[in-house]
Amino acid sequence: MDSTELLNIFNCIGTYGETDNGMYRLAYSDADNDTHDYLFNLLVEKGYDVRTDAMGNIFAEIPSSEPNAKIVATGSHLDTVHCGGKYDGTVGVIAGLFALEKLKTCKLKHTVQLIIFRAEESSRFGFSCMASKALTGNADIKKWLENTDSNGMNFFDASGTSPRDIENAKLDNEHYKSFIEVHIEQGNILENYGLHVGIVSAIAAPTRFCITVKGHADHSGATPMDLRSDALCAAARIINDINHEAYIRKDEGTVGTVGKLDVYPNSMNVVPGEVEFTVDIRGIDKDSVDAVIKHMYYSIEEATQIHHVKFNVVELCNDLPVNLDRSVFQTLVSAAEDEKIPYHEMNSGAGHDAMYMSKIIPTSMIFIPSKGGISHHPEEYSEFDDVILAGQILANAMEKMAS
């Protein structure tokens, strides 16, 4: 398979869920399901051994004839955020397909495998990396049952799976030798350095909350300022404090974001009676992340008194930063040097399926640049030549580990 055919496959994937405002390929939507069906059929046509599990994750492999052969795996996801781009996740699937095609004619002692994960993005259900959490025994089934999308559907409603399916989905780590994920950087470090490849040694982890502020909706003209219970003003205080506390810890790599906010009744002439918003705090240094969270709770207590409101805080996840496997990292370095491709050792500020795969399988990552550092946006863009460069390193590294 040459780069032209791979580009055609990439472009075809980009038609599923494409709109004038970016990609809408949310997990288990019709567009997402259709994309997985397309890739499944393509992989069958290419002659791979292909299967799906109860979640709909795709596993395509070149099996080894050796007894007790372990699996050398790669993979990424296909679902997108609201108004997303075409590269996030998909690049890793394409690079993985490139690598498997390169390895078809090699004599390997180990099985090589491409995994296409479901529900990596948190945009629909509020939980990220749902497939890799299930595959590694890190699913919080109770929370998955309780939390719903904007239409009131939880993960199990949308996916057609059951809690028992998730409990039985875990991979046997004894069968795996390594996992490597290729992904766009989603930042601008590589672009600023003028490099086309990053090799990742650690991944920042998110702690996320859904916060509801309950005040009292009153007439905006008839209610004096000192008698208000304004939920939006209280929320704004918290949001600003999170931003400020994360900013002063920027040198520690910590960030804080409020990316979703709903106001009720959302009327110009009514004091807001209720606000719901999400909080995403993440970093490599867990102590730094915890310091921002501690300050957030202090701000909530303060806002409760000042604005006469009540808060309900639901923790969606509290993940630990991950140091990736040094041996797999060094294999990627060796592969890059073999291919004479300059690289940069770096951390990932975004979470990925690799973060959970690393809990049971030696894991590392390859990054390619994101133009302008843009991601989760219709203008997200990476050079396809960089996808091929990453694929070359990936194929070389997988061959080393599978030989």
Side-chain angles (χ1 to χ4, degrees):
M1 182 185 297
D2 60 20
S3 59
T4 300
E5 185 178 0
L6 281 167
L7 179 58
N8 289 337
I9 294 169
F10 173 82
N11 287 334
C12 184
I13 292 171
T15 64
Y16 293 97
E18 183 179 25
T19 75
D20 292 339
N21 296 314
M23 299 299 297
Y24 275 80
R25 199 161 63 224
L26 300 186
Y28 297 103
S29 64
D30 288 343
D32 186 43
N33 291 335
D34 289 345
T35 313
H36 275 259
D37 289 344
Y38 164 69
L39 262 299
F40 182 92
N41 292 328
L42 175 72
L43 291 163
V44 170
E45 290 173 9
K46 292 293 180 183
Y48 297 104
D49 286 6
V50 188
R51 67 177 176 87
T52 59
D53 64 8
M55 288 186 73
N57 300 307
I58 296 174
F59 300 82
E61 62 186 31
I62 305 170
S64 170
S65 59
E66 297 277 339
N68 303 315
K70 289 194 174 186
I71 299 170
V72 173
T74 185
S76 197
H77 64 99
L78 294 170
D79 61 309
T80 74
V81 299
H82 295 276
C83 302
K86 295 183 177 182
Y87 294 79
D88 180 354
T90 301
V91 159
V93 175
I94 294 296
L97 179 56
F98 174 92
L100 260 63
E101 288 289 301
K102 285 283 188 182
L103 297 173
K104 267 185 173 178
T105 58
C106 297
K107 293 183 179 180
L108 305 174
K109 292 182 178 180
H110 294 284
T111 295
V112 290
Q113 183 183 80
L114 170 64
I115 306 174
I116 305 177
F117 299 94
R118 302 304 297 253
E120 192 272 350
E121 302 290 1
S122 59
S123 299
R124 183 168 185 184
F125 304 110
F127 307 104
S128 63
C129 304
M130 298 183 80
S132 51
K133 284 176 178 174
L135 293 175
T136 58
N138 289 281
D140 190 329
I141 292 174
K142 183 175 183 293
K143 287 184 178 179
W144 289 14
L145 283 165
E146 293 171 350
N147 213 49
T148 60
D149 66 8
S150 57
N151 294 316
M153 296 180 71
N154 67 23
F155 163 78
F156 297 101
D157 297 328
S159 66
T161 58
S162 69
R164 178 169 291 183
D165 289 332
I166 301 304
E167 290 171 352
N168 294 332
K170 185 177 178 181
L171 299 174
D172 185 346
N173 65 302
E174 294 297 322
H175 290 165
Y176 280 82
K177 185 175 183 181
S178 62
F179 177 79
I180 300 168
E181 182 172 6
V182 176
H183 207 278
I184 60 172
E185 180 193 346
Q186 302 180 280
N188 55 11
I189 293 172
L190 290 174
E191 187 176 63
N192 286 343
Y193 285 171
L195 293 171
H196 298 275
V197 169
I199 302 178
V200 182
S201 57
I203 303 175
T207 301
R208 289 173 170 159
F209 304 89
C210 181
I211 298 179
T212 304
V213 190
K214 291 187 179 293
H216 195 276
D218 290 300
H219 194 288
S220 65
T223 309
M225 297 301 292
D226 59 339
L227 297 180
R228 297 185 177 203
S229 179
D230 190 322
L232 183 56
C233 284
R237 175 182 290 272
I238 308 305
I239 294 167
N240 185 67
D241 283 353
I242 291 169
N243 180 74
H244 179 263
E245 188 67 16
Y247 183 83
I248 65 176
R249 297 180 178 276
K250 63 184 185 299
D251 292 340
E252 299 164 3
T254 300
V255 295
T257 306
V258 173
K260 181 181 178 183
L261 184 144
D262 295 310
V263 182
Y264 306 96
N266 200 28
S267 178
M268 180 183 289
N269 61 347
V270 180
V271 176
E274 183 174 326
V275 172
E276 183 178 279
F277 63 96
T278 59
V279 179
D280 183 324
I281 302 168
R282 65 177 74 191
I284 296 294
D285 185 333
K286 183 61 174 172
D287 288 341
S288 180
V289 169
D290 287 344
V292 177
I293 294 169
K294 181 179 180 180
H295 186 81
M296 179 188 79
Y297 278 108
Y298 171 79
S299 295
I300 288 171
E301 291 179 8
E302 189 177 52
T304 299
Q305 301 301 317
I306 294 173
H307 296 283
H308 313 294
V309 297
K310 294 181 180 180
F311 282 85
N312 181 52
V313 181
V314 177
E315 185 180 272
L316 300 177
C317 69
N318 189 348
D319 300 325
L320 295 174
V322 173
N323 289 314
L324 297 177
D325 185 82
R326 202 64 190 174
S327 176
V328 180
F329 174 89
Q330 291 296 346
T331 303
L332 288 173
V333 168
S334 177
E337 291 171 349
D338 287 348
E339 301 292 331
K340 296 181 170 54
I341 299 172
Y343 64 90
H344 176 60
E345 179 178 352
M346 60 192 303
N347 296 326
S348 172
H352 303 283
D353 287 309
M355 182 165 59
Y356 293 95
M357 297 298 280
S358 71
K359 293 179 181 294
I360 66 168
I361 302 168
T363 295
S364 192
M365 296 189 72
I366 304 170
F367 276 172
I368 64 170
S370 302
K371 185 176 181 180
I374 296 171
S375 184
H376 285 185
H377 189 277
E379 294 179 8
E380 175 183 277
Y381 178 79
S382 293
E383 294 287 348
F384 200 76
D385 286 347
D386 291 342
V387 181
I388 300 302
L389 287 179
Q392 290 171 349
I393 295 172
L394 176 64
N396 186 308
M398 291 181 75
E399 183 177 4
K400 288 177 186 292
M401 289 183 284
S403 294

